Amino acid sequence: MREQFSSVNGIDLYSLTNPNLKSFCLSLYIRSGSLFEDSSDNGISHLFEHIVFRNLKRKYRSFYELLAMHGIDLCGCTYKEFIRFTINGPYYEFNFAIEILYGLFDEIQMSSDEFSKEKKRIKAEIREENERSTLDYFLIASFGKTAKRKRRYWVIAG
């Protein structure tokens, strides 16, 4: 049975229940991503995703082991249109998964030094992704590091 309703703060909630299934999937979509960013805040959505995971790891001792003990998978991914958090697991761990989902909204507990380090990590990831789409990256991946210096490879590549 599918249900749709809105919370008191205007968030649309959707539910699809199938009593024949023995597992669940909870997903949270946040309207954010590079589509809503400009050069002054490029990467802020991805940074938020990382910070949420760091916050959860701080809240729960041995966080990933705890998830594994409960048979829970937690994934986060940033797309250009949204950030998605997904929690999957066996139906009897639903209440624990809800607790984790609520944890996504906890107040961020992070020092300015930790924040700066995470920000640098995200900037490096963005730089790395941008570099992967360059001709230089293609040449090096295809022909090795000397490819840029050898003229004959330029003719082959284009």
Side-chain angles (χ1 to χ4, degrees), residues 52-67 70 74 87 95-104 106:
V52 165
F53 273 91
R54 281 181 156 283
N55 215 39
L56 285 169
K57 288 190 316 190
R58 176 172 278 133
K59 180 178 181 177
Y60 297 97
R61 177 175 237 120
S62 303
F63 179 62
Y64 292 111
E65 291 85 358
L66 183 63
L67 291 177
H70 287 272
L74 172 63
I87 306 172
N95 288 338
F96 177 70
I98 291 293
E99 182 183 322
I100 298 295
L101 184 69
Y102 284 156
L104 298 176
D106 285 349

PDB file of all heavy atoms in Angstrom, residues 52-67 70 74 87 95-104 106:
ATOM      1  N   VAL A  52      28.019  14.773   7.887  1.00  0.00           N
ATOM      2  CA  VAL A  52      26.960  13.969   8.505  1.00  0.00           C
ATOM      3  C   VAL A  52      27.511  12.605   8.913  1.00  0.00           C
ATOM      4  O   VAL A  52      27.254  12.116  10.023  1.00  0.00           O
ATOM      5  CB  VAL A  52      25.748  13.829   7.554  1.00  0.00           C
ATOM      6  CG1 VAL A  52      24.811  12.729   8.009  1.00  0.00           C
ATOM      7  CG2 VAL A  52      25.001  15.144   7.460  1.00  0.00           C
ATOM      8  N   PHE A  53      28.299  11.976   8.045  1.00  0.00           N
ATOM      9  CA  PHE A  53      28.878  10.676   8.384  1.00  0.00           C
ATOM     10  C   PHE A  53      29.867  10.802   9.544  1.00  0.00           C
ATOM     11  O   PHE A  53      29.893   9.955  10.435  1.00  0.00           O
ATOM     12  CB  PHE A  53      29.556  10.036   7.166  1.00  0.00           C
ATOM     13  CG  PHE A  53      28.606   9.231   6.330  1.00  0.00           C
ATOM     14  CD1 PHE A  53      27.918   9.816   5.283  1.00  0.00           C
ATOM     15  CD2 PHE A  53      28.403   7.884   6.598  1.00  0.00           C
ATOM     16  CE1 PHE A  53      27.040   9.071   4.513  1.00  0.00           C
ATOM     17  CE2 PHE A  53      27.524   7.135   5.838  1.00  0.00           C
ATOM     18  CZ  PHE A  53      26.837   7.726   4.793  1.00  0.00           C
ATOM     19  N   ARG A  54      30.672  11.851   9.531  1.00  0.00           N
ATOM     20  CA  ARG A  54      31.617  12.063  10.640  1.00  0.00           C
ATOM     21  C   ARG A  54      30.855  12.242  11.953  1.00  0.00           C
ATOM     22  O   ARG A  54      31.263  11.751  12.994  1.00  0.00           O
ATOM     23  CB  ARG A  54      32.484  13.300  10.388  1.00  0.00           C
ATOM     24  CG  ARG A  54      33.617  13.048   9.434  1.00  0.00           C
ATOM     25  CD  ARG A  54      34.409  14.342   9.304  1.00  0.00           C
ATOM     26  NE  ARG A  54      35.757  14.122   8.901  1.00  0.00           N
ATOM     27  CZ  ARG A  54      36.746  13.680   9.682  1.00  0.00           C
ATOM     28  NH1 ARG A  54      36.512  13.417  10.933  1.00  0.00           N
ATOM     29  NH2 ARG A  54      37.944  13.514   9.212  1.00  0.00           N
ATOM     30  N   ASN A  55      29.752  12.964  11.893  1.00  0.00           N
ATOM     31  CA  ASN A  55      28.948  13.203  13.085  1.00  0.00           C
ATOM     32  C   ASN A  55      28.363  11.887  13.622  1.00  0.00           C
ATOM     33  O   ASN A  55      28.348  11.659  14.829  1.00  0.00           O
ATOM     34  CB  ASN A  55      27.832  14.204  12.765  1.00  0.00           C
ATOM     35  CG  ASN A  55      27.515  15.107  13.916  1.00  0.00           C
ATOM     36  OD1 ASN A  55      28.396  15.550  14.637  1.00  0.00           O
ATOM     37  ND2 ASN A  55      26.239  15.396  14.081  1.00  0.00           N
ATOM     38  N   LEU A  56      27.891  11.042  12.721  1.00  0.00           N
ATOM     39  CA  LEU A  56      27.359   9.750  13.143  1.00  0.00           C
ATOM     40  C   LEU A  56      28.456   8.874  13.749  1.00  0.00           C
ATOM     41  O   LEU A  56      28.234   8.187  14.744  1.00  0.00           O
ATOM     42  CB  LEU A  56      26.710   9.024  11.958  1.00  0.00           C
ATOM     43  CG  LEU A  56      25.356   9.558  11.517  1.00  0.00           C
ATOM     44  CD1 LEU A  56      24.941   8.941  10.193  1.00  0.00           C
ATOM     45  CD2 LEU A  56      24.296   9.312  12.579  1.00  0.00           C
ATOM     46  N   LYS A  57      29.644   8.911  13.159  1.00  0.00           N
ATOM     47  CA  LYS A  57      30.759   8.122  13.691  1.00  0.00           C
ATOM     48  C   LYS A  57      31.158   8.615  15.082  1.00  0.00           C
ATOM     49  O   LYS A  57      31.600   7.836  15.917  1.00  0.00           O
ATOM     50  CB  LYS A  57      31.963   8.161  12.747  1.00  0.00           C
ATOM     51  CG  LYS A  57      31.732   7.358  11.481  1.00  0.00           C
ATOM     52  CD  LYS A  57      32.953   7.152  10.617  1.00  0.00           C
ATOM     53  CE  LYS A  57      33.817   8.322  10.409  1.00  0.00           C
ATOM     54  NZ  LYS A  57      34.852   8.125   9.382  1.00  0.00           N
ATOM     55  N   ARG A  58      31.000   9.887  15.315  1.00  0.00           N
ATOM     56  CA  ARG A  58      31.318  10.441  16.638  1.00  0.00           C
ATOM     57  C   ARG A  58      30.247  10.032  17.658  1.00  0.00           C
ATOM     58  O   ARG A  58      30.552   9.752  18.816  1.00  0.00           O
ATOM     59  CB  ARG A  58      31.410  11.961  16.558  1.00  0.00           C
ATOM     60  CG  ARG A  58      31.648  12.594  17.914  1.00  0.00           C
ATOM     61  CD  ARG A  58      31.927  14.061  17.827  1.00  0.00           C
ATOM     62  NE  ARG A  58      33.338  14.203  17.485  1.00  0.00           N
ATOM     63  CZ  ARG A  58      33.812  15.002  16.554  1.00  0.00           C
ATOM     64  NH1 ARG A  58      33.010  15.771  15.878  1.00  0.00           N
ATOM     65  NH2 ARG A  58      35.089  15.066  16.295  1.00  0.00           N
ATOM     66  N   LYS A  59      29.002   9.990  17.234  1.00  0.00           N
ATOM     67  CA  LYS A  59      27.892   9.680  18.135  1.00  0.00           C
ATOM     68  C   LYS A  59      27.912   8.216  18.587  1.00  0.00           C
ATOM     69  O   LYS A  59      27.631   7.921  19.747  1.00  0.00           O
ATOM     70  CB  LYS A  59      26.564   9.980  17.425  1.00  0.00           C
ATOM     71  CG  LYS A  59      25.337   9.699  18.248  1.00  0.00           C
ATOM     72  CD  LYS A  59      24.076  10.074  17.498  1.00  0.00           C
ATOM     73  CE  LYS A  59      22.835   9.809  18.329  1.00  0.00           C
ATOM     74  NZ  LYS A  59      21.616  10.236  17.631  1.00  0.00           N
ATOM     75  N   TYR A  60      28.209   7.316  17.669  1.00  0.00           N
ATOM     76  CA  TYR A  60      28.175   5.890  17.961  1.00  0.00           C
ATOM     77  C   TYR A  60      29.599   5.332  17.978  1.00  0.00           C
ATOM     78  O   TYR A  60      30.322   5.439  16.986  1.00  0.00           O
ATOM     79  CB  TYR A  60      27.365   5.129  16.899  1.00  0.00           C
ATOM     80  CG  TYR A  60      25.923   5.530  16.842  1.00  0.00           C
ATOM     81  CD1 TYR A  60      25.479   6.467  15.915  1.00  0.00           C
ATOM     82  CD2 TYR A  60      24.988   4.963  17.701  1.00  0.00           C
ATOM     83  CE1 TYR A  60      24.141   6.830  15.852  1.00  0.00           C
ATOM     84  CE2 TYR A  60      23.653   5.324  17.641  1.00  0.00           C
ATOM     85  CZ  TYR A  60      23.237   6.259  16.720  1.00  0.00           C
ATOM     86  OH  TYR A  60      21.928   6.614  16.657  1.00  0.00           O
ATOM     87  N   ARG A  61      29.967   4.708  19.057  1.00  0.00           N
ATOM     88  CA  ARG A  61      31.284   4.071  19.155  1.00  0.00           C
ATOM     89  C   ARG A  61      31.321   2.896  18.164  1.00  0.00           C
ATOM     90  O   ARG A  61      30.358   2.153  18.049  1.00  0.00           O
ATOM     91  CB  ARG A  61      31.498   3.580  20.571  1.00  0.00           C
ATOM     92  CG  ARG A  61      32.784   2.851  20.752  1.00  0.00           C
ATOM     93  CD  ARG A  61      33.027   2.485  22.197  1.00  0.00           C
ATOM     94  NE  ARG A  61      34.290   3.077  22.576  1.00  0.00           N
ATOM     95  CZ  ARG A  61      34.470   3.949  23.537  1.00  0.00           C
ATOM     96  NH1 ARG A  61      33.457   4.347  24.252  1.00  0.00           N
ATOM     97  NH2 ARG A  61      35.657   4.423  23.803  1.00  0.00           N
ATOM     98  N   SER A  62      32.404   2.765  17.420  1.00  0.00           N
ATOM     99  CA  SER A  62      32.564   1.684  16.418  1.00  0.00           C
ATOM    100  C   SER A  62      31.356   1.648  15.480  1.00  0.00           C
ATOM    101  O   SER A  62      30.692   0.623  15.322  1.00  0.00           O
ATOM    102  CB  SER A  62      32.768   0.333  17.096  1.00  0.00           C
ATOM    103  OG  SER A  62      33.872   0.362  17.960  1.00  0.00           O
ATOM    104  N   PHE A  63      31.075   2.781  14.866  1.00  0.00           N
ATOM    105  CA  PHE A  63      29.854   2.976  14.082  1.00  0.00           C
ATOM    106  C   PHE A  63      29.660   1.920  12.999  1.00  0.00           C
ATOM    107  O   PHE A  63      28.596   1.302  12.908  1.00  0.00           O
ATOM    108  CB  PHE A  63      29.864   4.384  13.469  1.00  0.00           C
ATOM    109  CG  PHE A  63      28.669   4.693  12.626  1.00  0.00           C
ATOM    110  CD1 PHE A  63      27.397   4.697  13.181  1.00  0.00           C
ATOM    111  CD2 PHE A  63      28.795   4.991  11.284  1.00  0.00           C
ATOM    112  CE1 PHE A  63      26.284   4.993  12.420  1.00  0.00           C
ATOM    113  CE2 PHE A  63      27.692   5.288  10.518  1.00  0.00           C
ATOM    114  CZ  PHE A  63      26.432   5.291  11.084  1.00  0.00           C
ATOM    115  N   TYR A  64      30.662   1.674  12.176  1.00  0.00           N
ATOM    116  CA  TYR A  64      30.490   0.736  11.061  1.00  0.00           C
ATOM    117  C   TYR A  64      30.332  -0.700  11.554  1.00  0.00           C
ATOM    118  O   TYR A  64      29.563  -1.480  10.969  1.00  0.00           O
ATOM    119  CB  TYR A  64      31.635   0.872  10.061  1.00  0.00           C
ATOM    120  CG  TYR A  64      31.588   2.202   9.346  1.00  0.00           C
ATOM    121  CD1 TYR A  64      32.541   3.176   9.576  1.00  0.00           C
ATOM    122  CD2 TYR A  64      30.549   2.501   8.468  1.00  0.00           C
ATOM    123  CE1 TYR A  64      32.478   4.409   8.937  1.00  0.00           C
ATOM    124  CE2 TYR A  64      30.470   3.725   7.832  1.00  0.00           C
ATOM    125  CZ  TYR A  64      31.439   4.675   8.063  1.00  0.00           C
ATOM    126  OH  TYR A  64      31.357   5.893   7.439  1.00  0.00           O
ATOM    127  N   GLU A  65      31.002  -1.058  12.643  1.00  0.00           N
ATOM    128  CA  GLU A  65      30.820  -2.382  13.229  1.00  0.00           C
ATOM    129  C   GLU A  65      29.399  -2.521  13.789  1.00  0.00           C
ATOM    130  O   GLU A  65      28.775  -3.580  13.676  1.00  0.00           O
ATOM    131  CB  GLU A  65      31.850  -2.641  14.338  1.00  0.00           C
ATOM    132  CG  GLU A  65      33.269  -2.804  13.841  1.00  0.00           C
ATOM    133  CD  GLU A  65      33.996  -1.470  13.653  1.00  0.00           C
ATOM    134  OE1 GLU A  65      33.402  -0.380  13.869  1.00  0.00           O
ATOM    135  OE2 GLU A  65      35.176  -1.505  13.271  1.00  0.00           O
ATOM    136  N   LEU A  66      28.893  -1.447  14.381  1.00  0.00           N
ATOM    137  CA  LEU A  66      27.536  -1.448  14.916  1.00  0.00           C
ATOM    138  C   LEU A  66      26.517  -1.657  13.798  1.00  0.00           C
ATOM    139  O   LEU A  66      25.589  -2.456  13.937  1.00  0.00           O
ATOM    140  CB  LEU A  66      27.267  -0.125  15.647  1.00  0.00           C
ATOM    141  CG  LEU A  66      25.918   0.022  16.331  1.00  0.00           C
ATOM    142  CD1 LEU A  66      25.753  -1.004  17.453  1.00  0.00           C
ATOM    143  CD2 LEU A  66      25.769   1.436  16.880  1.00  0.00           C
ATOM    144  N   LEU A  67      26.704  -0.964  12.689  1.00  0.00           N
ATOM    145  CA  LEU A  67      25.807  -1.162  11.543  1.00  0.00           C
ATOM    146  C   LEU A  67      25.855  -2.606  11.076  1.00  0.00           C
ATOM    147  O   LEU A  67      24.818  -3.225  10.802  1.00  0.00           O
ATOM    148  CB  LEU A  67      26.189  -0.226  10.396  1.00  0.00           C
ATOM    149  CG  LEU A  67      25.945   1.266  10.584  1.00  0.00           C
ATOM    150  CD1 LEU A  67      26.450   2.041   9.377  1.00  0.00           C
ATOM    151  CD2 LEU A  67      24.480   1.569  10.829  1.00  0.00           C
ATOM    152  N   HIS A  70      23.945  -5.071  13.172  1.00  0.00           N
ATOM    153  CA  HIS A  70      22.490  -4.978  12.970  1.00  0.00           C
ATOM    154  C   HIS A  70      22.083  -5.342  11.543  1.00  0.00           C
ATOM    155  O   HIS A  70      20.891  -5.333  11.232  1.00  0.00           O
ATOM    156  CB  HIS A  70      22.004  -3.563  13.303  1.00  0.00           C
ATOM    157  CG  HIS A  70      21.986  -3.263  14.764  1.00  0.00           C
ATOM    158  ND1 HIS A  70      20.907  -3.536  15.570  1.00  0.00           N
ATOM    159  CD2 HIS A  70      22.935  -2.729  15.580  1.00  0.00           C
ATOM    160  CE1 HIS A  70      21.176  -3.170  16.807  1.00  0.00           C
ATOM    161  NE2 HIS A  70      22.405  -2.679  16.842  1.00  0.00           N
ATOM    162  N   LEU A  74      24.204   1.681   5.252  1.00  0.00           N
ATOM    163  CA  LEU A  74      23.949   3.124   5.187  1.00  0.00           C
ATOM    164  C   LEU A  74      24.808   3.694   4.075  1.00  0.00           C
ATOM    165  O   LEU A  74      26.024   3.507   4.070  1.00  0.00           O
ATOM    166  CB  LEU A  74      24.294   3.788   6.520  1.00  0.00           C
ATOM    167  CG  LEU A  74      24.265   5.321   6.541  1.00  0.00           C
ATOM    168  CD1 LEU A  74      22.871   5.851   6.256  1.00  0.00           C
ATOM    169  CD2 LEU A  74      24.779   5.838   7.874  1.00  0.00           C
ATOM    170  N   ILE A  87      19.154   3.834   3.895  1.00  0.00           N
ATOM    171  CA  ILE A  87      19.391   2.832   4.936  1.00  0.00           C
ATOM    172  C   ILE A  87      18.579   1.589   4.573  1.00  0.00           C
ATOM    173  O   ILE A  87      17.362   1.675   4.381  1.00  0.00           O
ATOM    174  CB  ILE A  87      18.959   3.338   6.326  1.00  0.00           C
ATOM    175  CG1 ILE A  87      19.631   4.680   6.643  1.00  0.00           C
ATOM    176  CG2 ILE A  87      19.267   2.296   7.392  1.00  0.00           C
ATOM    177  CD1 ILE A  87      19.121   5.334   7.909  1.00  0.00           C
ATOM    178  N   ASN A  95      13.535  -0.147  13.782  1.00  0.00           N
ATOM    179  CA  ASN A  95      13.615   0.892  14.825  1.00  0.00           C
ATOM    180  C   ASN A  95      15.037   1.417  14.978  1.00  0.00           C
ATOM    181  O   ASN A  95      15.241   2.619  15.182  1.00  0.00           O
ATOM    182  CB  ASN A  95      13.089   0.364  16.155  1.00  0.00           C
ATOM    183  CG  ASN A  95      11.584   0.195  16.137  1.00  0.00           C
ATOM    184  OD1 ASN A  95      10.889   0.813  15.341  1.00  0.00           O
ATOM    185  ND2 ASN A  95      11.081  -0.670  17.002  1.00  0.00           N
ATOM    186  N   PHE A  96      16.031   0.531  14.902  1.00  0.00           N
ATOM    187  CA  PHE A  96      17.414   0.976  14.969  1.00  0.00           C
ATOM    188  C   PHE A  96      17.737   1.872  13.770  1.00  0.00           C
ATOM    189  O   PHE A  96      18.407   2.895  13.902  1.00  0.00           O
ATOM    190  CB  PHE A  96      18.361  -0.230  15.008  1.00  0.00           C
ATOM    191  CG  PHE A  96      19.812   0.161  14.999  1.00  0.00           C
ATOM    192  CD1 PHE A  96      20.392   0.774  16.098  1.00  0.00           C
ATOM    193  CD2 PHE A  96      20.596  -0.075  13.882  1.00  0.00           C
ATOM    194  CE1 PHE A  96      21.729   1.149  16.086  1.00  0.00           C
ATOM    195  CE2 PHE A  96      21.933   0.295  13.860  1.00  0.00           C
ATOM    196  CZ  PHE A  96      22.497   0.909  14.961  1.00  0.00           C
ATOM    197  N   ALA A  97      17.237   1.504  12.591  1.00  0.00           N
ATOM    198  CA  ALA A  97      17.475   2.304  11.385  1.00  0.00           C
ATOM    199  C   ALA A  97      16.843   3.693  11.508  1.00  0.00           C
ATOM    200  O   ALA A  97      17.428   4.689  11.064  1.00  0.00           O
ATOM    201  CB  ALA A  97      16.929   1.583  10.160  1.00  0.00           C
ATOM    202  N   ILE A  98      15.680   3.761  12.120  1.00  0.00           N
ATOM    203  CA  ILE A  98      15.030   5.062  12.345  1.00  0.00           C
ATOM    204  C   ILE A  98      15.897   5.920  13.261  1.00  0.00           C
ATOM    205  O   ILE A  98      16.059   7.120  13.043  1.00  0.00           O
ATOM    206  CB  ILE A  98      13.610   4.873  12.940  1.00  0.00           C
ATOM    207  CG1 ILE A  98      12.674   4.272  11.910  1.00  0.00           C
ATOM    208  CG2 ILE A  98      13.061   6.176  13.469  1.00  0.00           C
ATOM    209  CD1 ILE A  98      12.363   5.176  10.728  1.00  0.00           C
ATOM    210  N   GLU A  99      16.495   5.306  14.283  1.00  0.00           N
ATOM    211  CA  GLU A  99      17.391   6.032  15.176  1.00  0.00           C
ATOM    212  C   GLU A  99      18.583   6.609  14.395  1.00  0.00           C
ATOM    213  O   GLU A  99      18.970   7.761  14.607  1.00  0.00           O
ATOM    214  CB  GLU A  99      17.896   5.089  16.270  1.00  0.00           C
ATOM    215  CG  GLU A  99      18.798   5.745  17.280  1.00  0.00           C
ATOM    216  CD  GLU A  99      19.327   4.757  18.305  1.00  0.00           C
ATOM    217  OE1 GLU A  99      18.575   3.860  18.722  1.00  0.00           O
ATOM    218  OE2 GLU A  99      20.505   4.894  18.683  1.00  0.00           O
ATOM    219  N   ILE A 100      19.134   5.825  13.486  1.00  0.00           N
ATOM    220  CA  ILE A 100      20.235   6.300  12.644  1.00  0.00           C
ATOM    221  C   ILE A 100      19.749   7.435  11.742  1.00  0.00           C
ATOM    222  O   ILE A 100      20.418   8.462  11.600  1.00  0.00           O
ATOM    223  CB  ILE A 100      20.816   5.159  11.779  1.00  0.00           C
ATOM    224  CG1 ILE A 100      21.396   4.053  12.652  1.00  0.00           C
ATOM    225  CG2 ILE A 100      21.850   5.683  10.793  1.00  0.00           C
ATOM    226  CD1 ILE A 100      22.579   4.460  13.485  1.00  0.00           C
ATOM    227  N   LEU A 101      18.567   7.266  11.160  1.00  0.00           N
ATOM    228  CA  LEU A 101      18.006   8.310  10.291  1.00  0.00           C
ATOM    229  C   LEU A 101      17.833   9.615  11.065  1.00  0.00           C
ATOM    230  O   LEU A 101      18.191  10.683  10.571  1.00  0.00           O
ATOM    231  CB  LEU A 101      16.673   7.853   9.699  1.00  0.00           C
ATOM    232  CG  LEU A 101      16.026   8.790   8.695  1.00  0.00           C
ATOM    233  CD1 LEU A 101      16.839   8.843   7.398  1.00  0.00           C
ATOM    234  CD2 LEU A 101      14.603   8.361   8.392  1.00  0.00           C
ATOM    235  N   TYR A 102      17.325   9.540  12.269  1.00  0.00           N
ATOM    236  CA  TYR A 102      17.197  10.739  13.106  1.00  0.00           C
ATOM    237  C   TYR A 102      18.562  11.363  13.377  1.00  0.00           C
ATOM    238  O   TYR A 102      18.692  12.580  13.476  1.00  0.00           O
ATOM    239  CB  TYR A 102      16.510  10.419  14.435  1.00  0.00           C
ATOM    240  CG  TYR A 102      15.019  10.217  14.366  1.00  0.00           C
ATOM    241  CD1 TYR A 102      14.368   9.470  15.341  1.00  0.00           C
ATOM    242  CD2 TYR A 102      14.251  10.759  13.345  1.00  0.00           C
ATOM    243  CE1 TYR A 102      12.995   9.273  15.295  1.00  0.00           C
ATOM    244  CE2 TYR A 102      12.882  10.559  13.292  1.00  0.00           C
ATOM    245  CZ  TYR A 102      12.262   9.816  14.272  1.00  0.00           C
ATOM    246  OH  TYR A 102      10.917   9.636  14.214  1.00  0.00           O
ATOM    247  N   GLY A 103      19.583  10.524  13.499  1.00  0.00           N
ATOM    248  CA  GLY A 103      20.936  11.008  13.742  1.00  0.00           C
ATOM    249  C   GLY A 103      21.474  11.894  12.631  1.00  0.00           C
ATOM    250  O   GLY A 103      22.374  12.706  12.852  1.00  0.00           O
ATOM    251  N   LEU A 104      20.911  11.758  11.438  1.00  0.00           N
ATOM    252  CA  LEU A 104      21.326  12.620  10.327  1.00  0.00           C
ATOM    253  C   LEU A 104      21.019  14.088  10.624  1.00  0.00           C
ATOM    254  O   LEU A 104      21.640  14.983  10.057  1.00  0.00           O
ATOM    255  CB  LEU A 104      20.620  12.217   9.019  1.00  0.00           C
ATOM    256  CG  LEU A 104      20.896  10.813   8.491  1.00  0.00           C
ATOM    257  CD1 LEU A 104      20.041  10.538   7.253  1.00  0.00           C
ATOM    258  CD2 LEU A 104      22.363  10.634   8.164  1.00  0.00           C
ATOM    259  N   ASP A 106      21.121  15.434  13.737  1.00  0.00           N
ATOM    260  CA  ASP A 106      21.761  15.889  14.976  1.00  0.00           C
ATOM    261  C   ASP A 106      22.605  17.137  14.724  1.00  0.00           C
ATOM    262  O   ASP A 106      23.098  17.359  13.618  1.00  0.00           O
ATOM    263  CB  ASP A 106      22.675  14.796  15.546  1.00  0.00           C
ATOM    264  CG  ASP A 106      21.904  13.670  16.198  1.00  0.00           C
ATOM    265  OD1 ASP A 106      20.684  13.821  16.408  1.00  0.00           O
ATOM    266  OD2 ASP A 106      22.533  12.631  16.496  1.00  0.00           O
TER     267      ASP A 106
END
